[in-house]
Amino acid sequence: MKNPNDIILKGVTKIAVVILFTFAISLFFSGHHNTGGGFIAGLTIASAITLLFLTHDLDRVRAYFPFDFKVIMAVGVLITILMGIITILLDRPFLFQTFNYFELPIFGKTELSTVTIFEIGVVLTVVGTAMVIIQSISEDI
């Protein structure tokens, strides 16, 4: 049973979730140059949402995240598979990566890579899978 006076826990959770989401974004974008990437960013996002599930009730958190995580997982797998199929159709090796530099309005000269699209698929797959597992465990309890 939850303590009705858990203001400190909820306050710390709000701060921790913002930090976790920010850290996940940093991990995601540093992934193809440094340690990190879609998998660890997806796990970090899933841990932030799980922290919200532990602090608040399931219905309240589901109101903030009204996604079907099974669909998110399926879309992520579809993106990763399509990235491999597209490279084969372009007569390149499976999951071949290419990049180029583009002049973007706010960011200036920026490198954009096809691996970023693949990593988005990985993030969606990991978040969807982890959240389906967490929600099915929490519903059994």
Side-chain angles (χ1 to χ4, degrees), residues 22-39:
T22 306
F23 185 55
I25 292 169
S26 173
L27 285 171
F28 174 78
F29 284 114
S30 69
H32 59 281
H33 289 297
N34 301 311
T35 304
F39 186 78

Side-chain angles (χ1 to χ4, degrees), residues 47-64:
S47 67
I49 298 172
T50 303
L51 182 60
L52 288 171
F53 277 132
L54 291 172
T55 306
H56 303 286
D57 58 77
L58 290 176
D59 295 330
R60 183 172 180 187
V61 177
R62 285 184 181 150
Y64 288 121

